Amino acid sequence: MPVINVVRQVLDSNDRIAGGNRALFDEKGIYVMNLMSSPGAGKTTLVEKTIDALKGRYRIAVIEGDIQSTHDAERVARHGVPVVQINTGGGCHIDANMVREALPGLPLDEVDVLINENVGNLVCPAEFTIGENDKVMILSTPEGADKPSKYPLMFHESSVMIINKIDLLPYVEFDIVKAKADALACNPELVIIEVSCRTGQGLDAWVEWLTTRVETFRKGRA
Amino acid sequence: MHEMSLVCSLLDIVEEYAGRHGFSRVKSIRLSCGSLAGVEEKALRFAFEVASKGTRAEGASLELEVLPIVLRCLACGAEGVSEDFPSACRACGSSETVLAGGTEELRCEDLEVDEVERPCA
Ligand SMILES: Nc1nc2c(ncn2[C@@H]2O[C@H](COP(=O)(O)OP(=O)(O)O)[C@@H](O)[C@H]2O)c(=O)[nH]1
Ligand SMILES: [Mg+2]
Ligand SMILES: [Zn+2]
């Protein structure tokens, strides 16, 4: 029986759409971040803190894909930035096509930084690029330190890992040395930043990292 | 589950190749992915069974080759297959190892089909 050679990534079509998104973001000069974590790790809280820290400097917009809580988009909108809610229809990740369809809802000519809050899930979002500059992931201390060894792909794909809820370190069992070592084994280039969105500790380091990335992107275009 | 998205994209690829080469049925589909790629084989098969109904791929067998975890040692440079991740270097015992294989995305390798009108399209 005849065999047809294909040799193609199954998510090729996602990658192509993501490439289209990327071209549009480049044309408009928009730095794009894909924010991923387990449910409840602190994505929406970090988005809120990031907006407050950077909104004097950059024009920020948010695509809200998290379906764990219906309040996320409202929480973010209260910080005075444009937000579009994606309905993933029960899906466990956002993909490039969903982002493409959400874009007409945003004033792209007036956006410098676009934050995509992905669905709370440590597995699937890592596979679907959306045209982002950086994948940013959050690991929170109550989740335990075994996550990098259980779900290496997300750690492998991310530019930065935020260890959130370090205010809870005295109360939870979290081997931070192991978490960092295993995460770096997935990805030696991974930048690790410890923060508490509750106390504000470490947020300045996060904001500095992000600002540097945005500025590098803008210089590359100029 | 994301397996459904994977299967939908896979069926798109099948249609694209059917348009190009002119075949009517697919007998088997050969796939590969890394063992750490987060692809759940059972869920993939189930999603395929459901989504391929009524398409030219209905009833096709799925062959999934799972690619091994490969670790590279930062201490001695050895690179080799490993059962586990994370784990120490097999050559020198160092725990300074990084992932060098096993996260490959799901890939469609080839399609076995009934007959081909345009083999070299
Ligand atoms: N103790 C503590 N709680 C936090 C921190 N960051 C977020 N939370 C709480 O964790 C819960 C989930 O946060 P949320 O931002 O909605 O998580 P998401 O599901 O990832 O978007 C909320 O009750 C937050 O107030 C932190 O640094 N420390
Ligand atoms: Mg949220
Ligand atoms: Zn070694």
Side-chain angles (χ1 to χ4, degrees):
Chain A
M1 228 168 276
V3 171
I4 295 173
N5 206 31
V6 179
V7 196
R8 229 169 77 178
Q9 314 282 15
V10 167
L11 289 181
D12 190 36
S13 59
N14 186 71
D15 293 349
R16 248 180 298 145
I17 296 169
N21 292 348
R22 185 65 255 164
L24 179 67
F25 298 143
D26 281 337
E27 182 200 318
K28 307 269 184 199
I30 305 175
Y31 170 91
V32 181
M33 168 178 131
N34 184 357
L35 180 61
M36 310 178 291
S37 79
S38 302
K43 292 181 296 301
T44 310
T45 313
L46 185 75
V47 171
E48 295 180 277
K49 300 285 179 196
T50 306
I51 294 168
D52 290 346
L54 285 180
K55 86 177 158 194
R57 180 158 189 182
Y58 301 119
R59 297 167 298 176
I60 302 174
V62 176
I63 292 179
E64 193 49 69
D66 196 0
I67 48 167
Q68 307 302 329
S69 147
T70 52
H71 301 305
D72 287 0
E74 293 162 35
R75 273 169 66 187
V76 171
R78 262 180 243 131
H79 294 258
V81 301
V83 186
V84 175
Q85 172 83 50
I86 289 187
N87 189 349
T88 62
C92 52
H93 60 271
I94 58 176
D95 65 27
N97 196 44
M98 293 176 198
V99 169
R100 179 171 66 176
E101 287 174 359
L103 291 177
L106 292 171
L108 292 183
D109 288 324
E110 291 143 40
V111 174
D112 303 312
V113 174
L114 175 62
I115 303 176
N116 293 266
E117 178 176 346
N118 216 310
V119 180
N121 178 339
L122 268 186
V123 184
C124 314
E127 286 178 59
F128 294 83
T129 101
I130 56 175
E132 67 275 73
N133 295 74
D134 286 300
K135 290 187 166 83
V136 172
M137 67 162 303
I138 304 177
L139 178 65
S140 65
T141 56
E143 289 174 73
D146 60 347
K147 292 293 182 293
S149 54
K150 276 198 183 140
Y151 307 108
L153 186 66
M154 187 167 290
F155 297 82
H156 185 71
E157 296 290 318
S158 296
S159 309
V160 59
M161 168 172 77
I162 289 170
I163 302 185
N164 189 30
K165 307 194 188 182
I166 54 165
D167 56 295
L168 299 179
L169 275 176
Y171 315 106
V172 296
E173 210 169 289
F174 183 75
D175 184 344
I176 197 163
V177 175
K178 176 181 161 56
K180 286 182 178 178
D182 288 355
L184 286 171
C186 301
N187 175 4
E189 328 251 273
L190 188 69
V191 173
I192 301 176
I193 304 174
E194 298 172 31
V195 315
S196 166
C197 286
R198 178 134 312 162
T199 67
Q201 193 186 340
L203 280 174
D204 48 349
W206 154 245
V207 168
E208 191 188 320
W209 181 87
L210 182 58
T211 306
T212 307
R213 296 295 294 167
V214 175
E215 289 306 314
T216 307
F217 166 66
R218 291 158 77 100
K219 282 205 197 81
R221 292 182 71 247
Chain B
M1 284 312 291
H2 72 137
E3 279 77 7
M4 192 49 94
S5 314
L6 291 169
V7 163
C8 292
S9 292
L10 177 62
L11 292 170
D12 287 346
I13 290 178
V14 168
E15 283 313 304
E16 184 189 326
Y17 278 73
R20 203 183 293 174
H21 295 281
F23 55 83
S24 53
R25 303 286 303 175
V26 181
K27 299 286 173 198
S28 73
I29 302 178
R30 234 163 37 86
L31 303 167
S32 70
C33 74
S35 62
L36 298 174
V39 176
E40 172 71 63
E41 184 167 352
K42 260 198 203 147
L44 187 76
R45 291 186 183 284
F46 179 69
F48 181 76
E49 207 182 300
V50 173
S52 66
K53 285 231 163 66
T55 75
R56 71 184 77 242
E58 180 173 355
S61 67
L62 286 188
E63 289 166 37
L64 178 63
E65 184 191 359
V66 180
L67 307 169
I69 299 169
V70 177
L71 295 181
R72 186 167 60 241
C73 176
L74 296 179
C76 75
E79 192 167 299
V81 168
S82 168
E83 292 289 310
D84 301 302
F85 172 80
S87 57
C89 172
R90 282 205 188 162
C92 76
S94 165
S95 58
E96 299 266 295
T97 54
V98 300
L99 207 52
T103 57
E104 294 84 356
E105 278 181 50
L106 187 68
R107 196 161 80 172
C108 178
E109 302 289 347
D110 54 42
L111 306 171
E112 193 185 345
V113 300
D114 53 356
E115 53 194 275
V116 182
E117 280 170 27
R118 296 178 293 280
C120 302

